[in-house]
Amino acid sequence: PAPPPPTQLQPIQRTRTLPPYPTISQRLGEEGTTTVDVNINTEGSVTECTVFKSSGSTRLDEAACEHVKARWRWQPPTREGQKVEAKTRVNIVWSLKDAR
């Protein structure tokens, strides 16, 4: 029989929580969007996170990567029935109205 068709990378939505807003960033009124590139292993965990486009705050950018690496998960894609590593780009929006 033919191998199963390839599947796409799928985010596990329940893991898509907002990162904790750094206290100093709240006090300084820092906001913006951090765009990060992430490498995902065959288990769906982030193995590497790099800032593609800064929010304008190193503190927010670092918090974004730390949170995505620690918490966010994906259903890895498959090729010929086997899970494969993947890369994707995500945005973390830093808005003081969401600060907690």
Side-chain angles (χ1 to χ4, degrees):
T7 61
Q8 299 295 313
L9 180 67
Q10 295 292 323
I12 298 174
Q13 292 300 330
R14 71 178 182 277
T15 68
R16 294 295 191 273
T17 57
L18 288 175
Y21 218 113
T23 306
I24 296 170
S25 294
Q26 288 180 51
R27 265 188 259 146
L28 295 174
E30 295 176 341
E31 293 185 305
T33 300
T34 303
T35 303
V36 294
D37 287 334
V38 292
N39 293 352
I40 299 145
N41 66 16
T42 58
E43 302 302 312
S45 298
V46 176
T47 57
E48 190 176 335
C49 176
T50 55
V51 175
F52 174 76
K53 185 170 185 285
S54 175
S55 64
S57 165
T58 301
R59 198 174 4 262
L60 293 179
D61 296 343
E62 289 174 355
C65 261
E66 286 174 19
H67 187 76
V68 168
K69 283 175 78 171
R71 306 275 184 207
W72 287 27
R73 298 293 177 263
W74 279 262
Q75 185 67 45
T78 60
R79 194 174 303 123
E80 296 179 8
Q82 300 295 312
K83 293 178 182 179
V84 294
E85 293 181 350
K87 294 181 180 190
T88 193
R89 182 170 287 162
V90 295
N91 292 318
I92 305 290
V93 177
W94 296 100
S95 175
L96 288 168
K97 69 178 178 52
D98 299 324
R100 45 178 163 49

Coordinates of all heavy atoms in Angstrom, one line a residue:
P1 N 0.8 -1.2 0.0 CA 0.0 0.0 0.0 C 0.9 1.3 0.0 O 2.0 1.3 0.5 CB -0.8 -0.1 1.3 CG 0.0 -1.0 2.2 CD 0.8 -1.9 1.2
A2 N 0.3 2.3 -0.5 CA 1.0 3.6 -0.6 C 1.2 4.1 0.9 O 0.3 3.9 1.7 CB 0.2 4.6 -1.4
P3 N 2.3 4.9 1.1 CA 2.5 5.5 2.4 C 1.4 6.5 2.7 O 0.8 7.1 1.7 CB 3.8 6.1 2.4 CG 4.1 6.3 0.9 CD 3.4 5.2 0.2
P4 N 1.0 6.8 4.0 CA 0.0 7.8 4.2 C 0.5 9.1 3.8 O 1.7 9.4 3.7 CB -0.1 7.7 5.8 CG 1.0 7.0 6.3 CD 1.6 6.1 5.1
P5 N -0.4 10.0 3.4 CA 0.0 11.3 3.0 C 0.7 12.1 4.1 O 0.4 11.9 5.3 CB -1.4 12.0 2.6 CG -2.4 11.3 3.3 CD -1.9 9.9 3.5
P6 N 1.6 13.1 3.7 CA 2.2 13.9 4.7 C 1.2 14.7 5.4 O 0.1 15.1 4.9 CB 3.2 14.8 3.9 CG 3.1 14.3 2.5 CD 2.0 13.4 2.3
T7 N 1.5 15.1 6.7 CA 0.6 16.0 7.5 C 1.4 17.3 7.7 O 2.6 17.3 7.6 CB 0.2 15.3 8.8 OG1 1.4 15.1 9.6 CG2 -0.6 14.0 8.6
Q8 N 0.6 18.3 8.1 CA 1.2 19.6 8.4 C 1.4 19.7 9.9 O 0.8 19.1 10.7 CB 0.2 20.7 8.0 CG -0.1 20.7 6.5 CD 1.1 21.0 5.6 OE1 1.8 21.9 5.9 NE2 1.4 20.2 4.6
L9 N 2.3 20.7 10.2 CA 2.5 21.0 11.6 C 1.3 21.7 12.2 O 0.7 22.5 11.6 CB 3.7 22.1 11.6 CG 4.1 22.6 13.0 CD1 4.7 21.5 13.8 CD2 5.1 23.7 12.9
Q10 N 0.9 21.2 13.4 CA -0.4 21.7 14.0 C -0.1 22.1 15.4 O 0.5 21.4 16.2 CB -1.4 20.6 14.1 CG -1.9 20.1 12.7 CD -2.7 21.2 12.0 OE1 -3.5 21.9 12.6 NE2 -2.6 21.2 10.7
P11 N -0.5 23.4 15.7 CA -0.3 23.9 17.1 C -1.2 23.1 18.1 O -2.4 22.8 17.7 CB -0.6 25.3 17.0 CG -1.4 25.5 15.8 CD -1.1 24.4 14.9
I12 N -0.8 22.9 19.3 CA -1.7 22.4 20.3 C -2.2 23.6 21.0 O -1.5 24.2 21.8 CB -0.9 21.4 21.2 CG1 -0.5 20.2 20.4 CG2 -1.8 20.9 22.4 CD1 0.4 19.2 21.1
Q13 N -3.4 24.0 20.7 CA -4.0 25.3 21.2 C -3.9 25.5 22.7 O -3.7 26.6 23.1 CB -5.4 25.5 20.6 CG -5.4 25.6 19.1 CD -4.6 26.8 18.6 OE1 -4.5 27.8 19.2 NE2 -4.1 26.7 17.4
R14 N -4.2 24.5 23.5 CA -4.2 24.7 24.9 C -2.9 25.1 25.5 O -2.8 25.6 26.6 CB -4.8 23.4 25.6 CG -3.8 22.2 25.6 CD -4.4 21.1 26.4 NE -3.5 20.0 26.4 CZ -3.3 19.1 25.4 NH1 -4.1 19.2 24.3 NH2 -2.5 18.1 25.5
T15 N -1.8 24.9 24.7 CA -0.5 25.3 25.2 C -0.2 26.8 24.8 O 0.9 27.3 25.3 CB 0.6 24.4 24.6 OG1 0.8 24.6 23.2 CG2 0.4 22.9 24.9
R16 N -1.0 27.4 24.1 CA -0.8 28.8 23.6 C -1.1 29.8 24.6 O -2.0 30.7 24.3 CB -1.6 29.0 22.3 CG -1.2 28.2 21.1 CD 0.2 28.6 20.8 NE 0.7 28.0 19.5 CZ 1.2 26.8 19.4 NH1 1.4 26.0 20.4 NH2 1.7 26.4 18.2
T17 N -0.5 29.8 25.7 CA -0.8 30.8 26.8 C 0.1 32.0 26.5 O 1.2 31.9 25.9 CB -0.5 30.2 28.1 OG1 0.8 29.7 28.2 CG2 -1.5 29.1 28.4
L18 N -0.3 33.2 27.0 CA 0.5 34.4 27.0 C 1.6 34.3 28.0 O 1.4 33.8 29.1 CB -0.3 35.6 27.3 CG -1.3 36.0 26.2 CD1 -2.2 37.2 26.7 CD2 -0.6 36.4 24.9
P19 N 2.8 34.7 27.6 CA 3.9 34.7 28.6 C 3.6 35.7 29.7 O 2.9 36.7 29.5 CB 5.1 35.2 27.8 CG 4.7 35.4 26.4 CD 3.2 35.2 26.3
P20 N 4.2 35.5 30.9 CA 4.1 36.5 32.0 C 4.8 37.8 31.5 O 5.8 37.7 31.0 CB 4.8 35.8 33.2 CG 5.0 34.4 32.8 CD 4.9 34.3 31.3
Y21 N 4.1 38.9 31.8 CA 4.6 40.2 31.4 C 5.7 40.6 32.4 O 5.5 40.7 33.6 CB 3.5 41.2 31.4 CG 3.6 42.2 30.3 CD1 2.6 42.2 29.3 CD2 4.5 43.2 30.3 CE1 2.6 43.2 28.3 CE2 4.6 44.1 29.3 CZ 3.6 44.1 28.3 OH 3.6 45.1 27.3
P22 N 7.0 40.8 31.9 CA 8.0 41.2 32.9 C 7.6 42.5 33.7 O 7.1 43.5 33.1 CB 9.2 41.5 32.0 CG 9.0 40.7 30.8 CD 7.5 40.7 30.6
T23 N 7.7 42.5 35.0 CA 7.3 43.6 35.8 C 8.0 44.9 35.4 O 7.3 45.9 35.3 CB 7.7 43.3 37.3 OG1 7.1 42.0 37.6 CG2 7.1 44.3 38.2
I24 N 9.3 44.8 35.1 CA 10.0 46.1 34.7 C 9.4 46.6 33.4 O 9.2 47.8 33.3 CB 11.5 45.8 34.6 CG1 12.1 45.4 36.0 CG2 12.2 47.0 34.1 CD1 13.5 44.9 36.0
S25 N 9.1 45.7 32.5 CA 8.5 46.1 31.2 C 7.1 46.8 31.4 O 6.8 47.8 30.8 CB 8.4 45.0 30.3 OG 9.6 44.5 29.9
Q26 N 6.4 46.3 32.4 CA 5.1 46.9 32.7 C 5.3 48.3 33.2 O 4.6 49.3 32.8 CB 4.3 46.1 33.8 CG 3.8 44.8 33.3 CD 3.1 44.0 34.4 OE1 2.2 44.6 35.0 NE2 3.4 42.8 34.6
R27 N 6.2 48.5 34.2 CA 6.5 49.8 34.8 C 7.0 50.8 33.7 O 6.7 51.9 33.8 CB 7.5 49.7 35.9 CG 6.9 49.5 37.2 CD 7.9 49.6 38.3 NE 8.1 48.2 38.8 CZ 9.3 47.8 39.2 NH1 10.3 48.5 39.3 NH2 9.4 46.5 39.5
L28 N 7.8 50.3 32.8 CA 8.3 51.2 31.7 C 7.4 51.4 30.6 O 7.7 52.1 29.6 CB 9.7 50.6 31.2 CG 10.8 50.5 32.2 CD1 12.0 49.8 31.6 CD2 11.2 51.9 32.7
G29 N 6.3 50.7 30.6 CA 5.3 50.8 29.5 C 5.7 50.2 28.2 O 5.3 50.6 27.1
E30 N 6.5 49.2 28.3 CA 7.0 48.5 27.1 C 5.9 47.6 26.4 O 5.3 46.8 27.1 CB 8.2 47.7 27.4 CG 9.4 48.5 27.8 CD 10.6 47.7 28.2 OE1 10.5 46.5 28.5 OE2 11.7 48.2 28.2
E31 N 5.7 47.8 25.1 CA 4.7 47.0 24.4 C 5.4 46.7 23.0 O 6.4 47.3 22.7 CB 3.4 47.7 24.2 CG 2.6 48.0 25.4 CD 1.3 48.6 25.1 OE1 1.2 49.6 24.5 OE2 0.3 48.0 25.6
G32 N 4.7 45.8 22.3 CA 5.2 45.5 20.9 C 4.9 44.1 20.6 O 4.2 43.4 21.3
T33 N 5.4 43.6 19.5 CA 5.2 42.2 19.0 C 6.6 41.6 18.8 O 7.4 42.2 18.0 CB 4.4 42.2 17.7 OG1 3.1 42.8 18.0 CG2 4.2 40.8 17.2
T34 N 6.8 40.5 19.4 CA 8.0 39.7 19.2 C 7.7 38.6 18.2 O 6.8 37.8 18.4 CB 8.5 39.1 20.5 OG1 8.8 40.1 21.5 CG2 9.8 38.3 20.3
T35 N 8.5 38.6 17.1 CA 8.3 37.5 16.1 C 9.5 36.5 16.3 O 10.6 37.0 16.2 CB 8.3 38.0 14.7 OG1 7.2 39.0 14.6 CG2 8.0 36.9 13.7
V36 N 9.2 35.3 16.5 CA 10.3 34.3 16.8 C 10.2 33.1 15.8 O 9.1 32.8 15.4 CB 10.3 33.8 18.2 CG1 10.6 34.8 19.2 CG2 9.0 33.1 18.6
D37 N 11.3 32.6 15.4 CA 11.4 31.4 14.7 C 11.7 30.3 15.6 O 12.6 30.4 16.5 CB 12.6 31.5 13.6 CG 12.3 32.4 12.5 OD1 11.1 32.6 12.2 OD2 13.2 33.0 11.9
V38 N 11.0 29.2 15.5 CA 11.2 28.0 16.4 C 11.4 26.8 15.7 O 10.8 26.5 14.6 CB 10.0 27.9 17.4 CG1 9.9 29.0 18.4 CG2 8.6 27.7 16.7
N39 N 12.3 25.9 16.2 CA 12.5 24.6 15.7 C 11.8 23.6 16.6 O 11.9 23.8 17.8 CB 14.0 24.3 15.7 CG 14.8 25.1 14.7 OD1 14.3 25.9 13.9 ND2 16.1 25.0 14.8
I40 N 11.1 22.7 16.0 CA 10.2 21.8 16.8 C 10.7 20.3 16.5 O 10.9 20.0 15.3 CB 8.8 21.9 16.3 CG1 8.3 23.4 16.7 CG2 7.9 20.9 17.0 CD1 7.4 24.0 15.7
N41 N 10.9 19.6 17.6 CA 11.4 18.2 17.4 C 10.3 17.3 17.1 O 9.1 17.7 17.1 CB 12.3 17.8 18.6 CG 11.5 17.7 19.9 OD1 10.3 17.6 19.9 ND2 12.2 17.7 21.0
T42 N 10.6 16.0 17.0 CA 9.5 15.0 16.6 C 8.6 14.7 17.8 O 7.6 14.1 17.6 CB 10.2 13.7 16.2 OG1 11.0 13.2 17.2 CG2 11.0 13.9 14.9
E43 N 8.9 15.2 19.0 CA 8.0 15.1 20.1 C 7.1 16.3 20.2 O 6.2 16.3 21.1 CB 8.8 15.0 21.4 CG 9.8 13.8 21.5 CD 9.1 12.5 21.3 OE1 8.1 12.3 21.9 OE2 9.6 11.7 20.4
G44 N 7.3 17.3 19.4 CA 6.4 18.5 19.4 C 6.9 19.6 20.3 O 6.2 20.6 20.5
S45 N 8.1 19.5 20.9 CA 8.7 20.5 21.8 C 9.6 21.4 21.0 O 10.2 21.0 20.0 CB 9.5 19.8 22.9 OG 8.7 19.0 23.7
V46 N 9.8 22.6 21.5 CA 10.6 23.6 20.9 C 12.1 23.3 21.3 O 12.4 23.2 22.5 CB 10.2 25.0 21.3 CG1 11.2 26.0 20.8 CG2 8.8 25.3 20.9
T47 N 13.0 23.2 20.4 CA 14.4 22.9 20.7 C 15.2 24.2 20.5 O 16.3 24.3 21.1 CB 15.0 21.8 19.7 OG1 14.8 22.2 18.4 CG2 14.3 20.5 20.0
E48 N 14.7 25.1 19.7 CA 15.4 26.4 19.5 C 14.5 27.5 19.2 O 13.5 27.3 18.6 CB 16.4 26.2 18.4 CG 17.4 27.3 18.2 CD 18.4 27.1 17.1 OE1 18.7 25.9 16.8 OE2 18.9 28.1 16.6
C49 N 14.7 28.6 19.8 CA 13.9 29.8 19.6 C 14.8 31.0 19.3 O 15.7 31.3 20.1 CB 13.0 30.1 20.8 SG 12.0 31.6 20.7
T50 N 14.6 31.7 18.2 CA 15.4 32.8 17.9 C 14.5 34.0 17.5 O 13.5 33.8 16.8 CB 16.4 32.6 16.7 OG1 15.7 32.1 15.6 CG2 17.5 31.6 17.1
V51 N 14.9 35.2 17.9 CA 14.1 36.4 17.6 C 14.3 36.7 16.1 O 15.4 37.0 15.7 CB 14.4 37.5 18.5 CG1 13.7 38.8 18.1 CG2 14.1 37.2 19.9
F52 N 13.2 36.7 15.3 CA 13.2 37.1 13.9 C 13.1 38.7 13.8 O 13.7 39.3 13.1 CB 12.2 36.4 13.1 CG 12.1 36.9 11.7 CD1 13.0 36.5 10.8 CD2 11.0 37.7 11.3 CE1 12.9 36.9 9.5 CE2 10.9 38.1 10.0 CZ 11.8 37.7 9.1
K53 N 12.1 39.2 14.6 CA 11.8 40.6 14.6 C 11.5 41.0 16.1 O 10.6 40.5 16.7 CB 10.6 40.9 13.7 CG 10.4 42.4 13.6 CD 9.3 42.7 12.5 CE 9.1 44.2 12.3 NZ 8.3 44.8 13.3
S54 N 12.3 42.0 16.6 CA 12.2 42.4 18.0 C 11.0 43.2 18.2 O 10.5 44.0 17.4 CB 13.5 43.2 18.3 OG 13.3 43.7 19.6
S55 N 10.5 43.1 19.5 CA 9.4 44.0 19.9 C 9.9 45.4 20.2 O 9.1 46.3 20.4 CB 8.8 43.4 21.2 OG 9.8 43.5 22.2
G56 N 11.2 45.5 20.2 CA 11.9 46.8 20.6 C 12.4 46.7 22.0 O 13.1 47.6 22.5
S57 N 12.1 45.6 22.7 CA 12.6 45.4 24.1 C 13.2 44.1 24.2 O 12.6 43.0 24.0 CB 11.4 45.5 25.1 OG 11.8 45.0 26.3
T58 N 14.5 44.1 24.5 CA 15.2 42.8 24.7 C 14.6 42.0 25.8 O 14.5 40.8 25.7 CB 16.7 43.1 25.1 OG1 17.3 43.8 24.0 CG2 17.5 41.8 25.2
R59 N 14.1 42.6 26.8 CA 13.5 42.0 28.0 C 12.2 41.2 27.5 O 12.0 40.0 27.8 CB 13.1 43.0 29.0 CG 12.8 42.5 30.4 CD 12.6 43.6 31.4 NE 12.6 45.0 30.9 CZ 13.6 45.8 30.9 NH1 14.7 45.5 31.4 NH2 13.5 47.1 30.4
L60 N 11.4 41.8 26.7 CA 10.2 41.2 26.2 C 10.5 40.1 25.2 O 9.9 39.0 25.2 CB 9.2 42.2 25.5 CG 8.6 43.2 26.4 CD1 7.7 44.2 25.5 CD2 7.8 42.6 27.5
D61 N 11.5 40.3 24.4 CA 11.9 39.3 23.4 C 12.4 38.0 24.1 O 12.1 36.9 23.8 CB 13.0 39.8 22.5 CG 12.6 40.9 21.6 OD1 11.3 41.1 21.5 OD2 13.4 41.6 21.1
E62 N 13.2 38.2 25.2 CA 13.8 37.0 25.9 C 12.6 36.3 26.6 O 12.6 35.1 26.6 CB 14.8 37.5 26.9 CG 16.1 37.9 26.2 CD 17.1 38.5 27.2 OE1 16.8 38.7 28.4 OE2 18.3 38.8 26.7
A63 N 11.7 37.1 27.2 CA 10.6 36.4 27.9 C 9.7 35.6 26.9 O 9.2 34.5 27.2 CB 9.7 37.5 28.6
A64 N 9.6 36.1 25.7 CA 8.8 35.4 24.7 C 9.4 34.1 24.3 O 8.8 33.0 24.4 CB 8.7 36.3 23.4
C65 N 10.7 34.1 24.1 CA 11.4 32.8 23.7 C 11.4 31.8 24.9 O 11.1 30.7 24.7 CB 12.9 33.1 23.3 SG 13.1 33.1 21.5
E66 N 11.7 32.3 26.1 CA 11.7 31.5 27.3 C 10.3 30.8 27.4 O 10.2 29.6 27.7 CB 12.0 32.2 28.5 CG 13.4 32.6 28.6 CD 13.7 33.5 29.9 OE1 12.9 33.6 30.8 OE2 14.8 34.2 29.8
H67 N 9.2 31.5 27.3 CA 7.9 31.0 27.5 C 7.5 30.0 26.4 O 7.0 28.9 26.7 CB 6.9 32.1 27.5 CG 5.5 31.7 27.9 ND1 5.1 31.3 29.1 CD2 4.4 31.5 27.1 CE1 3.9 30.9 29.2 NE2 3.4 31.0 27.9
V68 N 7.8 30.3 25.1 CA 7.5 29.4 24.0 C 8.3 28.1 24.2 O 7.7 27.0 24.0 CB 7.8 30.1 22.6 CG1 7.7 29.1 21.5 CG2 6.8 31.2 22.4
K69 N 9.5 28.2 24.5 CA 10.3 27.0 24.7 C 9.8 26.1 25.8 O 9.8 24.9 25.8 CB 11.8 27.3 25.0 CG 12.6 27.7 23.7 CD 14.0 28.2 24.0 CE 14.9 27.0 24.3 NZ 16.3 27.5 24.3
A70 N 9.4 26.8 26.9 CA 8.9 26.0 28.1 C 7.5 25.5 28.0 O 7.2 24.4 28.5 CB 9.0 26.9 29.3
R71 N 6.6 26.2 27.3 CA 5.2 25.9 27.4 C 4.5 25.4 26.0 O 3.7 24.6 26.1 CB 4.4 27.1 27.9 CG 4.9 27.6 29.2 CD 4.3 26.8 30.3 NE 4.7 27.4 31.6 CZ 4.8 26.8 32.7 NH1 4.5 25.5 32.7 NH2 5.2 27.4 33.8
W72 N 4.9 26.0 24.9 CA 4.2 25.8 23.7 C 4.6 24.4 23.1 O 5.7 24.0 23.1 CB 4.4 26.9 22.7 CG 3.7 28.2 23.0 CD1 3.4 28.6 24.3 CD2 3.4 29.2 22.1 NE1 2.8 29.9 24.2 CE2 2.8 30.2 22.8 CE3 3.5 29.3 20.7 CZ2 2.3 31.4 22.3 CZ3 3.0 30.5 20.1 CH2 2.4 31.5 20.9
R73 N 3.6 23.7 22.6 CA 3.8 22.4 21.9 C 3.0 22.4 20.6 O 2.0 23.0 20.4 CB 3.3 21.3 22.9 CG 4.0 21.2 24.2 CD 5.4 20.8 24.0 NE 6.2 20.8 25.3 CZ 6.9 21.8 25.7 NH1 7.1 22.9 25.0 NH2 7.6 21.7 26.9
W74 N 3.5 21.5 19.8 CA 2.9 21.2 18.5 C 2.7 19.7 18.2 O 3.4 18.9 18.8 CB 3.9 21.7 17.3 CG 3.8 23.2 17.1 CD1 3.1 23.8 16.1 CD2 4.5 24.2 17.8 NE1 3.3 25.2 16.2 CE2 4.2 25.5 17.2 CE3 5.4 24.3 18.9 CZ2 4.6 26.7 17.6 CZ3 5.9 25.5 19.3 CH2 5.5 26.7 18.7
Q75 N 1.8 19.4 17.3 CA 1.7 18.1 16.8 C 2.6 18.1 15.6 O 2.4 18.8 14.6 CB 0.2 17.8 16.4 CG 0.0 16.4 15.9 CD 0.2 15.4 17.0 OE1 -0.3 15.6 18.1 NE2 0.9 14.3 16.8
P76 N 3.8 17.4 15.6 CA 4.7 17.5 14.5 C 4.1 16.9 13.2 O 3.3 16.0 13.3 CB 5.9 16.6 15.0 CG 5.4 15.8 16.1 CD 4.2 16.4 16.7
P77 N 4.6 17.4 12.1 CA 4.2 16.9 10.8 C 4.7 15.4 10.6 O 5.7 15.0 11.3 CB 4.8 17.8 9.8 CG 6.0 18.4 10.5 CD 5.7 18.4 12.0
T78 N 4.1 14.8 9.7 CA 4.6 13.4 9.3 C 5.0 13.4 7.9 O 4.4 14.1 7.1 CB 3.6 12.3 9.7 OG1 2.4 12.6 8.9 CG2 3.3 12.3 11.2
R79 N 5.9 12.5 7.6 CA 6.3 12.2 6.2 C 6.5 10.7 6.1 O 7.2 10.2 6.9 CB 7.6 13.0 5.8 CG 7.8 13.0 4.3 CD 9.0 13.9 4.0 NE 8.9 15.3 4.4 CZ 9.8 15.9 5.3 NH1 10.8 15.3 5.7 NH2 9.6 17.1 5.6
E80 N 5.7 10.1 5.2 CA 5.8 8.7 5.0 C 5.5 8.0 6.3 O 6.1 7.0 6.7 CB 7.1 8.2 4.4 CG 7.3 8.7 3.0 CD 8.7 8.3 2.4 OE1 9.4 7.5 3.0 OE2 9.0 8.8 1.3
G81 N 4.5 8.5 7.1 CA 4.1 7.9 8.3 C 5.0 8.2 9.5 O 4.7 7.7 10.6
Q82 N 6.1 8.9 9.3 CA 7.0 9.1 10.4 C 7.0 10.6 10.8 O 7.0 11.5 9.9 CB 8.5 8.8 10.0 CG 8.7 7.3 9.6 CD 8.5 6.4 10.7 OE1 9.0 6.6 11.8 NE2 7.7 5.4 10.5
K83 N 7.0 10.9 12.1 CA 7.1 12.2 12.6 C 8.5 12.8 12.2 O 9.5 12.2 12.2 CB 7.0 12.3 14.1 CG 5.6 11.9 14.6 CD 5.6 12.0 16.2 CE 4.3 11.5 16.7 NZ 4.3 11.5 18.2
V84 N 8.4 14.1 11.7 CA 9.6 14.8 11.3 C 9.7 16.1 12.1 O 8.7 16.7 12.5 CB 9.7 15.0 9.8 CG1 9.8 13.7 9.1 CG2 8.5 15.8 9.3
E85 N 11.0 16.6 12.2 CA 11.2 17.9 12.8 C 10.6 19.0 11.9 O 10.5 18.8 10.7 CB 12.7 18.2 13.0 CG 13.2 17.2 14.1 CD 14.7 17.4 14.3 OE1 15.4 18.2 13.6 OE2 15.2 16.8 15.3
A86 N 10.4 20.2 12.5 CA 9.8 21.3 11.7 C 10.3 22.6 12.2 O 10.8 22.7 13.3 CB 8.2 21.2 11.7
K87 N 10.0 23.7 11.4 CA 10.3 25.0 11.8 C 9.0 25.9 11.5 O 8.3 25.6 10.6 CB 11.5 25.6 11.0 CG 12.8 24.9 11.3 CD 13.9 25.5 10.4 CE 15.2 24.8 10.8 NZ 16.3 25.5 10.2
T88 N 8.8 26.9 12.4 CA 7.7 27.8 12.1 C 8.0 29.1 12.7 O 9.0 29.3 13.5 CB 6.4 27.2 12.7 OG1 5.3 27.9 12.2 CG2 6.4 27.2 14.2
R89 N 7.2 30.1 12.4 CA 7.4 31.5 12.9 C 6.1 31.9 13.7 O 5.0 31.6 13.2 CB 7.6 32.4 11.8 CG 7.9 33.8 12.2 CD 8.4 34.6 11.0 NE 9.8 34.2 10.7 CZ 10.4 34.5 9.5 NH1 9.7 35.1 8.5 NH2 11.6 34.1 9.3
V90 N 6.3 32.4 14.9 CA 5.1 32.8 15.6 C 5.3 34.3 16.2 O 6.4 34.7 16.3 CB 4.8 31.9 16.8 CG1 4.4 30.5 16.3 CG2 6.0 31.7 17.8
N91 N 4.2 34.9 16.4 CA 4.2 36.3 17.0 C 3.7 36.2 18.4 O 2.7 35.5 18.7 CB 3.2 37.2 16.2 CG 3.7 37.5 14.8 OD1 4.9 37.7 14.6 ND2 2.9 37.5 13.9
I92 N 4.3 36.9 19.3 CA 3.9 37.1 20.7 C 3.6 38.6 20.8 O 4.5 39.5 20.6 CB 4.9 36.8 21.7 CG1 5.4 35.3 21.5 CG2 4.4 37.0 23.1 CD1 4.4 34.3 21.9
V93 N 2.3 39.0 21.1 CA 1.9 40.4 21.2 C 2.0 40.8 22.6 O 1.3 40.2 23.5 CB 0.5 40.6 20.6 CG1 0.1 42.0 20.7 CG2 0.5 40.2 19.1
W94 N 2.7 41.8 22.9 CA 2.9 42.4 24.2 C 2.0 43.6 24.3 O 2.3 44.6 23.7 CB 4.3 42.7 24.5 CG 5.3 41.5 24.5 CD1 6.1 41.1 23.5 CD2 5.5 40.6 25.6 NE1 6.8 40.0 23.9 CE2 6.4 39.7 25.1 CE3 4.9 40.5 26.9 CZ2 6.8 38.6 25.9 CZ3 5.4 39.4 27.7 CH2 6.3 38.5 27.2
S95 N 0.9 43.5 25.1 CA 0.0 44.6 25.3 C -0.2 44.8 26.8 O -0.6 43.8 27.5 CB -1.3 44.4 24.6 OG -2.2 45.4 24.8
L96 N 0.0 46.0 27.3 CA -0.2 46.2 28.7 C -1.6 45.9 29.2 O -1.8 45.6 30.4 CB 0.2 47.7 29.1 CG 1.7 48.0 29.0 CD1 2.0 49.4 29.0 CD2 2.5 47.2 30.1
K97 N -2.6 45.9 28.3 CA -3.9 45.6 28.8 C -4.0 44.1 29.1 O -4.9 43.7 29.9 CB -5.0 45.9 27.7 CG -4.9 45.1 26.4 CD -6.0 45.5 25.5 CE -6.0 44.8 24.2 NZ -5.9 43.3 24.3
D98 N -3.1 43.3 28.6 CA -3.0 41.8 28.9 C -2.1 41.5 30.1 O -2.0 40.4 30.5 CB -2.6 41.0 27.7 CG -3.5 41.2 26.5 OD1 -4.7 41.3 26.8 OD2 -3.0 41.1 25.4
A99 N -1.4 42.5 30.6 CA -0.4 42.3 31.6 C -1.0 41.8 32.9 O -2.1 42.2 33.3 CB 0.4 43.6 32.0
R100 N -0.3 40.8 33.5 CA -0.8 40.2 34.8 C 0.3 40.0 35.7 O 1.5 40.0 35.4 CB -1.6 39.0 34.6 CG -0.9 38.0 33.6 CD -1.8 36.7 33.5 NE -1.5 35.8 32.4 CZ -0.4 35.4 32.0 NH1 0.7 35.7 32.5 NH2 -0.3 34.5 31.0

